Amino acid sequence: QGFIMKRFLLGLISLASMSSFASGSVECFNQAKETKDSYGTNIKTNQAIKLCSGSESFSPIECFNEAKGKTKDSYGTYINTNQAIKLCSGSESLSPIECFNEAKKIKDFSGSYLNTNQAIYLCSGSESLSPIECLNDAKKTKDFSGSYLNTNQAIELCAQRL
């Protein structure tokens, strides 16, 4: 009987958290209707869905608004609307931007800086600088055959995917 009650309570907790998750995504989406892209026009429906999917709050919009037109890649070019959406999608803070700003200072295994897409992939959804720390450790890591991981393998290993 105690087991059944425990399962019932866990089910209620799960439903409550799913409800918060769903309503956060919808609220974010509704707020995104007023969000402007890098060119000053409203973002599109599919962009708002990508930005808000999985969110529990308006944080992806805050991250997006901070990233677009303010965040530069390693070449000094501002990241565009779609890049800002990828970086901030589902985020709960501005951490993806902080991570991105650190990632663009990292050199890959050939001595080149990470490109914008690599840095975005690494930092998208991050809630800390742990992907940076992981990537720095991965640079010293060997694969199963004894060779060092290549840059894309290390990024894949360290990216925090939802």
Side-chain angles (χ1 to χ4, degrees):
Q1 199 172 26
F3 174 76
I4 293 172
M5 181 56 93
K6 186 184 276 187
R7 297 277 297 164
F8 175 74
L9 290 174
L10 287 173
L12 285 178
I13 291 169
S14 177
L15 281 174
S17 66
M18 285 172 43
S19 172
S20 164
F21 175 80
S23 64
S25 294
V26 172
E27 289 172 10
C28 177
F29 178 80
N30 285 328
Q31 181 70 31
K33 291 176 185 176
E34 305 301 318
T35 302
K36 306 288 185 201
D37 65 14
S38 304
Y39 302 105
T41 59
N42 290 342
I43 63 173
K44 297 177 176 98
T45 299
N46 63 331
Q47 292 173 317
I49 289 170
K50 285 179 187 173
L51 183 61
C52 294
S53 179
S55 68
E56 296 178 19
S57 68
F58 301 120
S59 294
I61 294 171
E62 293 169 356
C63 178
F64 172 78
N65 284 331
E66 187 65 28
K68 67 168 176 148
K70 296 180 186 173
T71 304
K72 293 183 178 182
D73 63 18
S74 34
Y75 304 105
T77 304
Y78 290 108
I79 63 173
N80 65 39
T81 298
N82 288 326
Q83 290 169 326
I85 288 171
K86 284 180 189 173
L87 182 62
C88 295
S89 178
S91 69
E92 293 302 323
S93 68
L94 298 179
S95 293
I97 296 170
E98 295 168 19
C99 179
F100 177 83
N101 285 330
E102 289 302 312
K104 65 186 184 185
K105 300 175 190 172
I106 295 176
K107 291 189 176 181
D108 68 13
F109 301 104
S110 68
S112 301
Y113 290 103
L114 296 185
N115 69 44
T116 301
N117 291 330
Q118 289 172 318
I120 288 171
Y121 187 84
L122 177 67
C123 295
S124 177
S126 67
E127 294 301 324
S128 69
L129 293 178
S130 61
I132 303 299
E133 296 164 12
C134 177
L135 187 61
N136 285 327
D137 288 342
K139 286 175 148 185
K140 303 172 248 174
T141 302
K142 293 186 178 183
D143 67 14
F144 298 153
S145 68
S147 301
Y148 286 101
L149 296 176
N150 68 40
T151 301
N152 289 329
Q153 289 171 323
I155 289 170
E156 183 68 32
L157 177 65
C158 295
Q160 296 179 344
R161 305 276 57 94
L162 300 175

